[in-house]
Amino acid sequence: MSVAPDAIAPLRDFVVAMTRLVETARDEPTLLAQGRVLLSRLVADEGWLPPAFAEPDPASYRQYLLHCDPLERFSVVSFVWGPGQKTPVHDHTVWGLVGMLSGAELCQEYAPQGDRVVSRGVQHTLKPGMIEAVSPTVGDWHVVANALADRPSISIHVYGANIGAVRRHMLDAQGRICDFVSGYSSALLPNLWDRSAAVRAQAG
């Protein structure tokens, strides 16, 4: 489904700003702090997200790629959770920012302990507009679930890599640490760059 260029402009602006940020930020704390401001602006309104990248699936949560930097320095993903859906306990291995777009997510934090990963006993709820950070330096293990029983929830994630191609870790059904690569739920990408209608309007 196509989206008018002016509708998707907030995502295009975010991608441009994040590209500049990853080129200039000298350390992770700076990148996370400034990236949090940029992501807060993006998730302040949900009208820019194309419907094709907000579609839930009855079987599992969905991870849609919205943009990947050509040098794979960062990627932007929409996560769509149906009622009752949740992730396994997992890590990311790179920095990340999670911004709540609509609905609510319940996050339970975990941490490595020797050769195991255990619950930290910390649980919080993300509501629209809220941002949280993950990384091996600030806390990287968690399980995330849709906090709503009657409708989908959507969050926008920014990661310091092409996250769908990163070898990460999760706990299997027996609580053992195993490798996984998440991939993406669609081969489609939104067209951020078709600004032809606006250019034609200016020419008229």
Side-chain angles (χ1 to χ4, degrees), residues 111-192:
Q113 189 177 87
D115 59 355
R116 299 184 303 144
V117 175
V118 298
S119 173
R120 295 182 57 210
V122 177
Q123 181 172 284
H124 58 275
T125 301
L126 278 182
K127 297 181 180 179
M130 296 177 67
I131 310 289
E132 73 171 7
V134 295
S135 87
T137 59
V138 302
D140 202 34
W141 284 85
H142 62 192
V143 57
V144 181
N146 188 349
L148 305 180
D150 59 347
R151 59 190 174 95
S153 294
I154 302 174
S155 53
I156 305 300
H157 300 215
V158 189
Y159 294 108
N162 175 7
I163 195 63
V166 173
R167 186 173 299 279
R168 300 191 275 153
H169 311 95
M170 59 178 279
L171 298 187
D172 65 16
Q174 288 72 46
R176 297 171 300 198
I177 299 175
C178 58
D179 289 354
F180 82 104
V181 178
S182 68
Y184 297 110
S185 300
S186 173
L188 300 176
L189 284 172
N191 187 345
L192 304 183

Side-chain angles (χ1 to χ4, degrees), residues 3-200:
V3 175
D6 58 339
I8 207 168
L11 178 58
R12 182 175 63 242
D13 294 344
F14 176 78
V15 165
V16 171
M18 277 301 303
T19 302
R20 290 173 175 153
L21 179 57
V22 299
E23 288 174 348
T24 58
R26 296 185 177 181
D27 52 49
E28 183 179 284
T30 299
L31 194 152
L32 291 177
Q34 296 184 12
R36 181 185 292 267
V37 174
L38 299 177
L39 185 55
S40 294
R41 295 173 188 159
L42 183 64
V43 299
D45 175 66
E46 58 184 282
W48 58 266
L49 183 63
F53 303 92
E55 189 67 31
D57 184 283
S60 177
Y61 64 91
R62 307 287 279 174
Q63 177 174 300
Y64 297 105
L65 180 64
L66 301 177
H67 175 76
C68 185
D69 171 68
L71 300 180
E72 298 185 283
R73 295 170 297 181
F74 74 97
S75 54
V76 187
V77 179
S78 65
F79 271 79
V80 184
W81 316 85
Q85 293 177 352
K86 68 177 183 178
T87 68
V89 178
H90 66 280
D91 70 0
H92 308 85
T93 76
V94 298
W95 64 261
L97 289 164
V98 178
M100 203 67 214
L101 188 68
S102 64
E105 288 178 4
L106 186 64
C107 177
Q108 184 172 350
E109 298 179 13
Y110 283 72
Q113 189 177 87
D115 59 355
R116 299 184 303 144
V117 175
V118 298
S119 173
R120 295 182 57 210
V122 177
Q123 181 172 284
H124 58 275
T125 301
L126 278 182
K127 297 181 180 179
M130 296 177 67
I131 310 289
E132 73 171 7
V134 295
S135 87
T137 59
V138 302
D140 202 34
W141 284 85
H142 62 192
V143 57
V144 181
N146 188 349
L148 305 180
D150 59 347
R151 59 190 174 95
S153 294
I154 302 174
S155 53
I156 305 300
H157 300 215
V158 189
Y159 294 108
N162 175 7
I163 195 63
V166 173
R167 186 173 299 279
R168 300 191 275 153
H169 311 95
M170 59 178 279
L171 298 187
D172 65 16
Q174 288 72 46
R176 297 171 300 198
I177 299 175
C178 58
D179 289 354
F180 82 104
V181 178
S182 68
Y184 297 110
S185 300
S186 173
L188 300 176
L189 284 172
N191 187 345
L192 304 183
W193 307 109
D194 184 2
R195 295 187 285 178
S196 56
V199 173
R200 290 190 190 104

